[in-house]
Structure formats: C-alpha cells, structure tokens
Amino acid sequence: MDQTISLSPSEWRLMDLLWEESPRTVTQLLHISQREIGWSKATILTMLSRLEAKGAVRHEQGPRAKAFYPAIPREAAARAETEQFLQKVYGGSLGSMVNAMVREISPQELSELRRILDQAEQEV
C-alpha cells in the first residue's frame, strides 16, 4: 500500500462485505447491513464516501446503480493496521509484542506459534 489507510471498526465491517463479494451496490449493502448491523442507507453512503476519499473503495457506474469494489486487498489493510498497532502500543518492536503475548497464550497456541516460526524460518 503506497499510503497508510486507517479504517475505523465500522469501516472494517463494510470493507469485509466488499472483500467477501464484489461488486456490490448500495442497495445490496443496505440489505445485508440491515439484517446484520442495522445501518441506514445514509450511513452506508457516508461510509462509502469516506472510504473512497481514503482510497480504500472505488466505484463504477453500472446501468442502474454504482457498483462498489475494494480498492485495496484485505491483506494490505490488515498489514497496515498491524504496523500502526505495533508502532502505537509497542514502539514498533515486534519482539516486545511477542514477549507480552507469549505470557498469555495457551500451550496449543504456543505450539501453533512455534509451527508458524519454523515455517517462516524455512521460507527465508
């Protein structure tokens, strides 16, 4: 991602709907969000406008309605959020974060972490 895009929790929910399936119209987003979240059409339009201004969403004019697409991959957004969190909470130190987390994880999670680290080491 060229620029850091910070998403609010509500924006993440809307982006998840677009990452799940695209394109989607405002009407489609409204039907889904009314069932699951309870958002109004005005809320969705406002959030889509903000997400477009941030560069996270784009749209194309369809024959009857605008079709909205994610403009960034989910992985890039997650990576940017993780980097922001790491910087804010742990001063950018991954080691400090891992040290804090391993004190709180279960033996099963510790085994999973070992497996992930072993795999990463083999890929380097």
Side-chain angles (χ1 to χ4, degrees), residues 87-102:
Q87 189 61 44
K88 178 173 61 175
V89 179
Y90 295 100
S93 171
L94 180 61
S96 294
M97 183 186 80
V98 171
N99 188 42
M101 299 312 246
V102 287

Side-chain angles (χ1 to χ4, degrees), residues 50-120:
R50 287 182 186 160
L51 288 166
E52 278 193 293
K54 289 181 177 185
V57 168
R58 65 180 181 83
H59 77 272
E60 293 177 5
Q61 184 61 53
R64 297 182 61 174
K66 290 180 181 178
F68 289 88
Y69 300 82
I72 57 172
R74 188 180 204 301
E75 297 76 22
R79 188 173 42 256
E81 288 284 335
T82 301
E83 289 170 5
Q84 290 173 16
F85 169 79
L86 188 62
Q87 189 61 44
K88 178 173 61 175
V89 179
Y90 295 100
S93 171
L94 180 61
S96 294
M97 183 186 80
V98 171
N99 188 42
M101 299 312 246
V102 287
R103 299 174 191 276
E104 303 297 324
I105 64 175
S106 70
Q108 295 85 3
E109 291 169 321
L110 190 55
S111 290
E112 178 67 8
L113 179 58
R114 279 192 186 104
R115 186 193 65 73
I116 291 168
L117 292 173
D118 288 343
Q119 183 178 350

